[in-house]
Amino acid sequence: MYVRKYILLLGLMVISVKVSAESGEALWMRYLKLPSDLQSLYIPYAQVYFEEGSSTIEVAKQELAQAFVGLTGVDIKFQKKPFKCSLLIGKNVNQFWNIPDIEKNLKKCANEGFVIRSVKRNGVRRIIVTANTDAGILYGTFALIRLMQTGCPLDSLNIIERPKYKFRLLNHWDNLDGTVERGYAGRSIWWNRKETLDALKHQYLTYARANASIGINGTVLNNVNANPKVLDQEYIEKFARFADLLRPYNIKVFMSINFSSPVIIGGLPSSDPLREDVQQWWNQKVKEIYEAIPDFGGFLVKANSEGQPGPQDYGRSHADGANMLARALEPYGGIVMWRAFVYSPSGDDRAKQAYDEFVPLDGQFRDNVIIQVKNGPIDFQPREPFSPLFGAMEKTPLMIEFQITQEYLGFSDHLVYLAPLQKECLDSDTYVKNEGSTVAIVTNGTLFKHQYSAIAGVANIGRDINWTGHHFAQANWYAFGRLAWNHNLKPEDIAREWIKMTFTHDSVFVESVLDIMMRSREAVVNYMTPMGLHHLMGWDHHYGPAPWTDIEGARPDWLPRYYHNASEEGIGFNRSKSGSNAVSQYAEPLCSMFNNPKTCPQNLLLWFHHLPWDYRLSSGLTLWQELCYHYYRGVDEVKLMQKKWDRLRGRIDDERFEHVQHKLKVQVREAKWWRDACVLYFQTFSKMPIPYELERPEHDLDELMNLKFDMKNHN
Ligand code: BDP
């Protein structure tokens, strides 16, 4: 009896270990045993000399130990002396072996980079991981772990890396009440938690390790629509506690602030940035923050946008507002990230407004201000051209903001791998200086030689056990970090790494899932907003299709009709010279290329042009036919993704397999919902038949228009 109970208990323990390991909780840091051929490649490196140092060094060392034993089944032996070791990690380890070019290569590594080098002397193989700083050692250690996790041979490594951006940040849109704006993975990991910090420590450290593993070095812990209370002592203390936890992982904390804080919590009569009492108030606040958090990163500010207060409330400019905060932060080395996401109902084209408002201010910002610009001119749509602000402000550092959370791409219900979207934007040539002036080199500070460069991703992280709601949404967190570290990486290479680390090395699985991921972005563009269409979703939930929405009294630029302009004459937004002339915000030859529908890339055609339904495309099809094909192709692609996934049963744990399988079922259903809603609605204008070889829609337009969307099911 006793024995049976014991066995049962043991069984439960085994199950619970399996559940937690395969729930997605461990992200890409599962460190499960590798295939035995790989284990034997790595086991010879178990004798390690790890130079002593700060808490950053300590966490890197622990990580290596944990990863090594997990992956190989063999414990690392840390040695006090380097000479018999096969793996040497530390800032000064090259002194023992004097590999001549290592010192030279270290000069290329700047502050956070690292060198990993395999050497063979007297028949003995060794690996050296070295850097100029502890942060570099941390990233070098994680890079070595990744090589092992992905099954790379270690005997001829010669890696020299440094990050492309100085600040690589997550932006959490987390409210102090624990809700997350546009969050689809449960409530905030940071705010309004019942548990003690101690009880949550494991979760926070997993977060920190995950970010360090991909090179994220900063995090904004609260929503850009900021609650002024965040500057109260109580919250400053909370920020300080988070900063303490994240510090060893080279992650700084940043805060979103409300521009009216001096009035709302400071009791001042005004928040005018040119008033001395207001400036004093901010100086004092910043001082309090730095007393609690000596390495505090700085502020993120959404001002005069979507109802948020800002300097324009007092007749001042964005530069006046940003500079006041920058002056307060300057003595401590803090920065201001001032968002350019501004648009007012009065403008003739929302896509032009950020440029119109910010370009005239070029040269007026202090050195520690960075303007944070969303990747596209509107708002995180499945496809947009790059924002014309990139390259247009030579004297001001501009950072790029991507959305990792899928506000407009099916929340955490749709499998959409975002690296291709981000890469497309980063690789876009702005032509502002000459050919090759890509968005990446504008924003990474090299084109105009700026001291600061930054990149931010709006986080998709919540309290869900798998962190991101959809297991595949973890890939978007991962890929954002990898691209922020090195925008030259290829989305498919990043995906392959992630799949191996997150699921399995089984090559059938890896290649099929890679194919699924690489199709997924174009699939969502096709079933939601093909050919340059945008903003067709329900105006409040941003989830399903609602191109028909008409709400009396609503701001026109919140409604899809403003963007698609469908009528019997045709469809699309005329941003050419005969329309809003948004094309002129782009440098030549882009301006002319976008301006002419014959040369405008087809995937942006209706972004820049309003065209008749029978307009002939180079394919020989009419615009209407082509649009139908795109919508149908979108659905077909998701069906194919689903089929490919279904064949993979048994190659990974059932739990994650079934979770993804269920989500794909939902995605197929909803892709059809999008397709049918858009095709049937636009057909009321085109009055043309759906090409006969395509299936008939599965829905009826009236039924779709009356569908009530319940947000509760999606959080
Ligand atoms: C929009 C979101 C809104 C954000 C805003 C922003 O719908 O919730 O507050 O962006 O970026 O896309 O400030």
Side-chain angles (χ1 to χ4, degrees), residues 151-216:
C152 296
L154 303 182
D155 50 7
S156 54
L157 301 173
N158 189 5
I159 299 174
I160 308 157
E161 289 199 16
R162 64 183 279 185
K164 300 276 185 202
Y165 290 90
K166 186 170 168 69
F167 296 105
R168 306 172 298 279
L169 308 166
L170 289 183
N171 286 184
H172 289 268
W173 285 359
D174 292 21
N175 298 311
L176 304 184
D177 66 3
T179 56
V180 180
E181 182 153 344
R182 313 304 178 183
Y184 315 108
R187 289 165 65 82
S188 166
I189 59 168
W190 307 112
W191 306 115
N192 201 7
R193 304 211 60 165
K194 303 278 173 289
E195 306 90 328
T196 61
L197 195 59
D198 228 28
L200 294 169
K201 207 164 166 186
H202 175 71
Q203 191 179 39
Y204 292 135
L205 293 186
T206 307
Y207 170 91
R209 292 169 48 230
N211 282 319
S213 78
I214 51 178
I216 298 285

Side-chain angles (χ1 to χ4, degrees), residues 469-516:
H470 197 309
H471 287 288
F472 276 80
Q474 293 182 357
N476 292 331
W477 175 7
Y478 180 83
F480 168 76
R482 297 288 287 135
L483 281 175
W485 179 270
N486 180 4
H487 51 67
N488 292 330
L489 294 176
K490 294 200 182 86
E492 47 274 48
D493 293 342
I494 299 174
R496 206 177 264 116
E497 279 171 15
W498 176 81
I499 299 166
K500 284 186 178 173
M501 295 191 288
T502 306
F503 291 107
T504 169
H505 282 228
D506 168 355
S507 61
V508 172
F509 184 91
V510 174
E511 293 311 312
S512 307
V513 171
L514 180 65
D515 185 74
I516 291 173

Side-chain angles (χ1 to χ4, degrees), residues 173 181-182 223-225 302 305-306 339 341 350 374 379-380 401 403 407-408 542:
W173 285 359
E181 182 153 344
R182 313 304 178 183
N223 192 358
V224 286
N225 296 316
K302 172 175 176 178
S305 163
E306 299 188 321
R339 290 177 93 230
F341 178 65
R350 175 174 164 189
K374 289 189 181 182
D379 201 357
F380 300 137
E401 176 180 331
Q403 201 176 40
E407 175 180 358
Y408 299 100
H542 295 181

Side-chain angles (χ1 to χ4, degrees), residues 568 613 624 682-689:
E568 292 189 7
W613 296 106
W624 165 252
F682 292 138
Q683 192 181 33
T684 64
F685 302 105
S686 80
K687 307 209 183 325
M688 292 173 166

Side-chain angles (χ1 to χ4, degrees), residues 12 15 43 68 72 84 114 133 138 167 192 303 348 379 383 406 409 427 494 550 575 591 635 659 661-662 667 680 698:
L12 281 175
I15 289 168
I43 288 171
F68 202 95
T72 66
K84 294 227 169 79
F114 55 82
T133 63
L138 177 74
F167 296 105
N192 201 7
D348 66 330
D379 201 357
R383 171 166 283 120
Q406 292 168 228
L409 290 94
D427 284 352
I494 299 174
D550 215 353
R575 296 192 166 104
C591 171
V635 173
H659 195 257
Q661 189 177 46
H662 168 73
Q667 190 173 355
L680 291 173
E698 289 182 14

Side-chain angles (χ1 to χ4, degrees), residues 353-507:
Q353 295 186 32
Y355 180 103
D356 287 344
E357 239 178 85
F358 277 85
V359 170
L361 300 175
D362 192 21
Q364 295 183 29
F365 292 97
R366 294 184 77 81
D367 287 349
N368 58 335
V369 176
I370 310 182
I371 304 300
Q372 179 162 326
V373 183
K374 289 189 181 182
N375 60 286
I378 300 272
D379 201 357
F380 300 137
Q381 297 297 295
R383 171 166 283 120
E384 295 188 38
F386 68 87
S387 165
L389 267 170
F390 295 120
M393 294 178 69
E394 193 167 338
K395 302 194 192 88
T396 315
L398 299 190
M399 62 185 283
I400 189 161
E401 176 180 331
F402 288 113
Q403 201 176 40
I404 310 174
T405 190
Q406 292 168 228
E407 175 180 358
Y408 299 100
L409 290 94
F411 296 2
S412 287
D413 294 333
H414 294 199
L415 189 168
V416 185
Y417 177 47
L418 295 176
L421 181 160
Q422 295 167 358
K423 184 77 171 161
E424 178 177 291
C425 178
L426 291 164
D427 284 352
S428 296
D429 200 337
T430 67
Y431 291 95
V432 287
K433 256 197 149 167
N434 36 40
E435 210 180 321
S437 306
T438 60
V439 171
I441 70 161
V442 168
T443 52
N444 75 14
T446 53
L447 189 69
F448 299 131
K449 312 258 176 303
H450 291 299
Q451 176 193 359
Y452 291 122
S453 64
I455 181 165
V458 179
N460 59 352
I461 296 163
R463 278 181 223 176
D464 278 5
I465 184 81
N466 71 8
W467 294 89
T468 54
H470 197 309
H471 287 288
F472 276 80
Q474 293 182 357
N476 292 331
W477 175 7
Y478 180 83
F480 168 76
R482 297 288 287 135
L483 281 175
W485 179 270
N486 180 4
H487 51 67
N488 292 330
L489 294 176
K490 294 200 182 86
E492 47 274 48
D493 293 342
I494 299 174
R496 206 177 264 116
E497 279 171 15
W498 176 81
I499 299 166
K500 284 186 178 173
M501 295 191 288
T502 306
F503 291 107
T504 169
H505 282 228
D506 168 355
S507 61

